[in-house]
Amino acid sequence: MFSWFSKLFSFGGGSAFGGKSLRKIVAEINALESEIKDFSNDRLLEDSNSLKRLIQESQLSLDEALPRAFALIREAAKRTLGQRHFDVQLMGGVVLHHGKIAEMRTGEGKTLVATLPVYLNALAGKGVHVVTVNEYLAKRDTVWMGQVYHQLGLSVACLAHEKALMYDPTYKIPEGKEKLIDKERDTTGSYLIQEEYLRPVSRKEAYAADITYGTNHEFGFDYLRDNLVYGPGDQVQRSPNYAIIDEVDSILIDEARTPLIIAAPDIASSEYYKTFARIVTGLKDGEDYVKDEKLRTVEMTQDGINKVEKAINIKDIYSAENLRLVHYLNESLKAHALHQKDRDYVVKGGEIILVDQFTGRLLPGRRFSGGLHQAIEAKEGVAVQNESRTYASISIQNYFRLYGKLAGMTGTAQTSAEEFDKVYKLETVTVPTHRQMIRKDQPDLIYKTLEGKFAAVVADVKERNKKGQPVLIGTVSIEKNERLSRLLNEAGVRHEILNAKNNEREGAIIAQAGRYGAVTVATNLAGRGVDIILGGNPPEVLESQKVKDLGGLHVIGTERHESRRIDNQLRGRAGRQGDPGSSQFFLSLEDDLMRIFGGERVRKMMDWLKVPEDMPISSRVVSRAVSQAQGRVEGANFDARKHLLDYDDVLNKQRLALYKKRQEILETGGMTRHTTPDVLGMVLSPQAKTQVLQMLDFLWMSHLENVEALADSVRLRAYGQHDPLVEYRREGHLLYQQLLADFEKWVEENKSKLEQISNDKLLISNQTPSVNDKNIRNSTLGISNSSQKTGRNDPCPCGSGKKYKKCHGA
């Protein structure tokens, strides 16, 4: 195994290893085991502290310290968890330490692998971030791996929504405040979140820990909030040093089209959305509007426009004074024609909660912006919230590019290796498995109709269930998840159902999906990060063997996803660590992928195929059409992400420059021109300093709206043979230069007043929303763009709650 892998990946002469292969590095780590295994726990801690001192005093580089650090963490894991890193896991750790992506199959112990580079890099004292796909995994790994890090003298914390927690094995719950451990999670064995080992701390303390776990959203939003505060003591993050991203493809690719946005309420417009929600329900697809499911767009026809104008008694809805009404109409039409309940969102507790299209998980607290979320609220008859105004935003891609070193791990990276390299400069390395993979991937079964496909799935599950073989069925939406569950109930097959509506039991359900006779119907990526162990968790020896004799876990895919990676992730739930297993996809010509992207050939095929609904179609043409459809969607999605990044790169350079300027003012109070290093000669008090920062923030907020409007307008210039991106770069630069000019002009004009530290001379109201304002919320998917003129007695668009005439209109 080592011989071929060392050829695949060895460190070049530019590294501290001087071209050492992985085989040689692993041999060096293994050579230290006999010495370290005889250490007492105190000696283990002493050795770790000594290594930390040498690294922080620059007497030893991280590369030089790697063999001993890896040997120490391996011994600590063996003592605390009873788990010893395999040689292939050591390889994965070396790959991650060198800022690459390690592709490791499901069940190969990626969580344990991460401890190696995390520990080594944490010894430098600059902080290491471990990014997980959900909060449950962040908490779980903080407790689970916290034991290992604590043994070696490192502190570990995790970020939960609106709070932070620190691992503390000595922590005792105050009397009368004991927490009951969730009984449903108790069956997951080592995956149990033992809450008594997590004590609440400030967010700043969590980031000051040697190692911090959290989701990409928590890290990203904290970065944005840190650049909105008015006192350096209010900032919580340190300079981004090193991050390891678990399930890196999910975070850096699947979520890359959803920028992180901090926004606050704008003007109330709920009645407009309610009105237009009623109007669009009376419009007919193909007659009053035309939708394109490939591009996810919808446009009004002239007949539709006439109907709307008649309904609201307006002659020309597209006239300048009615443009805001067009906004309400467009968003309401999108909500009606393109967004489906139980696919894109659910209605829960009187709220619209978004559903992650890749994982099937709920996304509480996140909202569509640009008015779309309000339109969906009106459509479903729940309370319509105010629209929002953007205060800060950043794309996922550009947030993670801030780190000095970035690495990631996943079971499926090679199909996206090109994108990782082009966008993030990350090399993808396949790490061999500890045991040979023996899963049997069976050919697809393709049916003419959805009904025929689902009938075949139920029949197959029923047959396997009679024998006791565990089956995991992956679905692409909540709607189809529940439809299949109903069919299984009708067939008398007992099963567990898992989707965004009940994912609080996710860990427990998935951990038991390998039991004898278990049938689990889950959205495709539900349970990601939790291993399915044959015989259940903890496994019963006799039951485990019985399941293995039946062929192990059988995975059924009920539809091809837009990305091959996600199909492979579903398959990867079976056959972990050399276990037996099998997988098969059941498809139909009516599946969304085939219906939308399959092309005219498949539609014609449906007409002339005379086979019965319950008979699978065996055709190379169909199989090729499936493959081509996936390829087209993957290409389109890559182009969309690249397009977003190209535009965000322009804004990102401006963002970094402005945040640097803001930080200088925040830390020193010194005011410098952007054109020359000359100091304006002002020494600002903390209160005058706040006024300057608020003005800078106000100008940046307006700039974000201007740039968003610019992005919309330049797209039309393609019709005039102009490159929209070139136009966007040019005019975006001019807008930013204008921002800087406006800021410095304001400072010059108010220099004398700013130097006076008198409350009655303050120029900007303290009503500008602070970062801690309870109204500020996290949001994704686009930026609000309000074009309606604010009346003197209207609420101020800044979100202060004051009338416009008493706030920014004063």
Side-chain angles (χ1 to χ4, degrees):
M1 176 167 59
F2 287 122
S3 58
W4 68 263
F5 193 70
S6 62
K7 290 177 183 175
L8 172 69
F9 183 68
S10 63
F11 296 100
S15 89
F17 286 105
K20 288 182 184 176
S21 69
L22 279 177
R23 176 174 57 179
K24 193 167 183 180
I25 299 166
V26 170
E28 289 180 15
I29 298 166
N30 288 338
L32 294 167
E33 189 168 22
S34 58
E35 172 198 351
I36 291 175
K37 72 178 182 181
D38 293 330
F39 284 1
S40 65
N41 285 345
D42 287 342
R43 176 64 195 283
L44 208 63
L45 177 59
E46 183 184 326
D47 217 49
S48 178
N49 288 333
S50 176
L51 204 58
K52 183 196 299 184
R53 179 179 53 79
L54 290 170
I55 291 171
Q56 294 188 10
E57 291 177 357
S58 301
Q59 296 183 47
L60 202 63
S61 71
L62 289 177
D63 287 348
E64 291 166 338
L66 186 149
R68 192 161 195 86
F70 277 29
L72 287 172
I73 195 81
R74 175 195 255 181
E75 183 61 30
K78 193 165 66 174
R79 295 185 188 188
T80 55
L81 305 177
Q83 298 180 6
R84 176 185 175 276
H85 296 80
F86 301 131
D87 285 358
V88 290
Q89 290 176 314
L90 297 178
M91 291 181 187
V94 177
V95 170
L96 292 172
H97 166 64
H98 279 266
K100 301 177 188 296
I101 290 175
E103 183 183 67
M104 303 181 72
R105 288 189 182 274
T106 301
E108 290 296 306
K110 291 189 285 291
T111 306
L112 191 64
V113 169
T115 61
L116 298 159
V118 166
Y119 168 66
L120 170 61
N121 285 267
L123 291 173
K126 298 177 182 177
V128 174
H129 295 169
V130 185
V131 187
T132 62
V133 292
N134 60 49
E135 188 177 296
Y136 162 66
L137 293 176
K139 285 183 181 178
R140 182 201 77 176
D141 293 351
T142 300
V143 173
W144 191 13
M145 299 298 126
Q147 304 167 70
V148 187
Y149 300 125
H150 178 77
Q151 178 85 48
L152 298 174
L154 297 184
S155 56
V156 192
C158 72
L159 306 170
H161 190 54
E162 296 182 351
K163 65 178 177 179
L165 301 161
M166 184 78 76
Y167 174 72
D168 183 0
T170 65
Y171 179 66
K172 300 297 179 188
I173 302 172
E175 191 174 343
K177 298 208 173 181
E178 294 85 356
K179 295 181 182 178
L180 292 174
I181 296 173
D182 184 354
K183 298 294 182 186
E184 290 179 343
R185 290 200 189 276
D186 199 38
T187 56
T188 65
S190 59
Y191 301 117
L192 174 66
I193 299 176
Q194 295 168 291
E195 295 278 0
E196 67 266 31
Y197 293 133
L198 294 173
R199 62 179 172 86
V201 293
S202 71
R203 227 157 171 86
K204 195 163 190 170
E205 286 178 279
Y207 279 109
D210 295 305
I211 301 153
T212 309
Y213 285 85
T215 65
N216 56 310
H217 295 101
E218 295 300 327
F219 287 116
F221 282 124
D222 281 340
Y223 167 75
L224 292 177
R225 282 189 284 262
D226 271 359
N227 286 286
L228 285 171
V229 300
Y230 295 118
D234 295 328
Q235 293 182 314
V236 298
Q237 287 189 341
R238 293 190 275 175
S239 179
N241 170 45
Y242 175 47
I244 293 180
I245 304 175
D246 191 14
E247 309 296 1
V248 65
D249 51 335
S250 174
I251 291 172
L252 292 191
I253 292 181
D254 296 340
E255 297 199 30
R257 289 174 66 181
T258 58
L260 306 175
I261 297 173
I262 287 182
D266 196 359
I267 54 176
S269 52
S270 59
E271 292 306 314
Y272 285 110
Y273 283 112
K274 291 175 185 176
T275 298
F276 280 97
R278 289 192 296 270
I279 291 172
V280 296
T281 55
L283 301 179
K284 296 179 181 178
D285 184 7
E287 182 179 316
D288 300 319
Y289 63 86
V290 178
K291 67 178 178 181
D292 188 323
E293 291 186 89
K294 288 184 184 179
L295 301 176
R296 299 279 287 170
T297 59
V298 59
E299 292 184 6
M300 293 289 295
T301 65
Q302 189 57 52
D303 286 344
I305 293 169
N306 294 340
K307 282 186 182 179
V308 171
E309 289 175 343
K310 185 177 180 181
I312 57 178
N313 196 26
I314 283 180
K315 289 184 178 179
D316 183 6
I317 193 173
Y318 286 92
S319 62
E321 64 271 18
N322 293 326
L323 284 180
R324 194 63 186 164
L325 298 181
V326 176
H327 166 73
Y328 298 132
L329 170 61
N330 288 342
E331 298 308 313
S332 299
L333 189 58
K334 287 179 193 173
H336 171 70
L338 299 176
H339 293 270
Q340 291 181 22
K341 181 180 175 182
D342 289 344
R343 184 191 72 183
D344 305 304
Y345 62 88
V346 298
V347 181
K348 191 175 183 180
E351 289 185 82
I352 302 298
I353 302 179
L354 303 186
V355 175
D356 189 316
Q357 63 169 308
F358 298 103
T359 66
R361 293 189 180 100
L362 290 184
L363 301 172
R366 283 196 254 169
R367 296 171 62 87
F368 291 119
S369 59
L372 178 58
H373 209 97
Q374 288 79 4
I376 294 174
E377 287 170 332
K379 169 188 172 183
E380 297 295 343
V382 302
V384 180
Q385 305 298 318
N386 288 335
E387 286 194 70
S388 61
R389 193 173 188 193
T390 300
Y391 283 79
S393 70
I394 192 169
S395 67
I396 292 288
Q397 294 104 318
N398 277 320
Y399 171 69
F400 281 109
R401 283 167 158 184
L402 295 171
Y403 283 86
K405 183 165 68 173
L406 188 64
M409 48 190 183
T410 180
T412 48
Q414 285 296 352
T415 53
S416 301
E418 180 187 2
E419 186 165 353
F420 283 128
D421 179 56
K422 284 185 176 177
V423 175
Y424 302 99
K425 307 300 181 199
L426 286 171
E427 182 183 342
T428 300
V429 179
T430 300
V431 178
T433 56
H434 177 58
R435 294 189 178 94
Q436 185 179 356
M437 206 275 288
I438 59 172
R439 185 186 69 234
K440 297 176 181 176
D441 296 329
Q442 298 167 357
D444 297 348
L445 294 176
I446 306 169
Y447 293 81
K448 185 178 178 181
T449 65
L450 281 170
E451 288 75 14
K453 176 182 72 173
F454 280 121
V457 169
V458 171
D460 187 58
V461 172
K462 192 170 183 178
E463 187 64 32
R464 293 178 187 275
N465 184 244
K466 280 181 185 176
K467 296 184 291 185
Q469 183 180 18
V471 181
L472 173 68
I473 309 164
T475 60
V476 296
S477 68
I478 299 171
E479 176 205 354
K480 288 174 181 173
N481 184 272
E482 293 178 339
R483 177 179 180 180
L484 188 55
S485 177
R486 287 193 297 271
L487 292 172
L488 288 170
N489 281 330
E490 290 169 9
V493 178
R494 291 184 61 185
H495 61 281
E496 285 274 13
I497 180 170
L498 177 59
N499 59 43
K501 293 182 178 179
N502 71 330
N503 67 353
E504 63 279 354
R505 296 181 57 229
E506 179 177 316
I509 292 174
I510 288 295
Q512 302 308 318
R515 294 191 80 95
Y516 178 83
V519 175
T520 310
V521 185
T523 45
N524 270 352
L525 284 190
R528 191 169 186 171
V530 179
D531 282 343
I532 298 176
I533 299 174
L534 300 185
N537 190 0
E540 297 176 14
V541 177
L542 291 176
E543 186 170 328
S544 177
Q545 188 56 51
K546 195 159 45 169
V547 170
K548 288 179 180 179
D549 292 341
L550 288 168
L553 177 70
H554 182 65
V555 170
I556 292 177
T558 58
E559 200 164 327
R560 285 285 189 187
H561 199 276
E562 291 182 356
S563 168
R564 289 168 295 170
R565 276 187 305 100
I566 296 177
D567 291 341
N568 292 337
Q569 286 156 8
L570 179 61
R571 286 191 195 276
R573 305 318 301 263
R576 60 181 292 281
Q577 291 194 6
D579 283 341
S582 54
S583 71
Q584 188 162 40
F585 276 79
F586 287 71
L587 313 176
S588 91
L589 296 180
E590 292 180 344
D591 290 347
D592 287 345
L593 182 74
M594 296 302 296
R595 182 176 56 81
I596 299 171
F597 296 96
E600 192 61 31
R601 179 189 296 180
V602 173
R603 280 188 281 276
K604 288 180 179 177
M605 191 180 302
M606 290 177 66
D607 294 334
W608 60 257
L609 279 174
K610 304 298 181 183
V611 295
E613 287 190 354
D614 60 350
M615 182 181 293
I617 302 164
S618 178
S619 167
R620 288 183 183 177
V621 175
V622 178
S623 297
R624 196 181 307 121
V626 172
S627 195
Q628 288 172 345
Q630 279 187 305
R632 279 195 291 272
V633 181
E634 285 175 355
N637 287 342
F638 178 40
D639 289 343
R641 289 188 293 268
K642 186 70 169 59
H643 176 79
L644 173 72
L645 186 60
D646 286 340
Y647 278 77
D648 193 62
D649 276 344
V650 177
L651 187 61
N652 192 54
K653 289 172 185 170
Q654 299 170 1
R655 180 191 298 112
L656 292 175
L658 184 123
Y659 281 178
K660 183 181 179 183
K661 187 181 190 73
R662 194 185 192 282
Q663 193 67 23
E664 287 172 359
I665 299 170
L666 188 69
E667 291 177 351
T668 66
M671 296 293 299
T672 59
R673 298 179 186 272
H674 72 276
T675 51
T676 69
D678 299 336
V679 179
L680 291 178
M682 282 191 291
V683 178
L684 300 172
S685 72
Q687 196 172 23
K689 189 194 294 187
T690 297
Q691 307 309 304
V692 172
L693 290 173
Q694 286 179 336
M695 172 50 80
L696 191 61
D697 291 344
F698 181 78
L699 290 171
W700 177 248
M701 183 172 64
S702 299
H703 179 69
L704 290 176
E705 292 180 349
N706 291 337
V707 166
E708 178 66 12
L710 173 64
D712 288 335
S713 69
V714 296
R715 292 185 186 109
L716 299 175
R717 301 183 194 179
Y719 296 108
Q721 306 303 311
H722 293 282
D723 185 333
L725 184 58
V726 172
E727 297 281 299
Y728 179 79
R729 284 174 178 152
R730 182 178 62 81
E731 295 193 27
H733 174 73
L734 295 175
L735 286 172
Y736 183 67
Q737 293 303 313
Q738 187 61 50
L739 178 156
L740 295 177
D742 289 344
F743 176 63
E744 297 214 352
K745 180 183 178 184
W746 179 86
V747 172
E748 285 282 2
E749 289 175 350
N750 295 283
K751 182 178 177 183
S752 60
K753 294 179 182 179
L754 285 169
E755 289 173 326
Q756 298 177 30
I757 315 173
S758 171
N759 289 336
D760 61 349
K761 298 290 184 183
L762 298 181
L763 298 179
I764 301 181
S765 170
N766 283 329
Q767 297 146 1
T768 302
S770 74
V771 71
N772 295 316
D773 192 312
K774 65 180 181 180
N775 290 324
I776 290 185
R777 58 174 172 74
N778 296 342
S779 128
T780 57
L781 299 174
I783 299 176
S784 300
N785 182 27
S786 174
S787 60
Q788 182 173 339
K789 185 176 179 181
T790 307
R792 283 175 51 75
N793 291 310
D794 288 338
C796 187
C798 77
S800 66
K802 301 279 185 179
K803 288 185 177 180
Y804 179 64
K805 67 183 180 183
K806 292 186 178 286
C807 191
H808 283 86

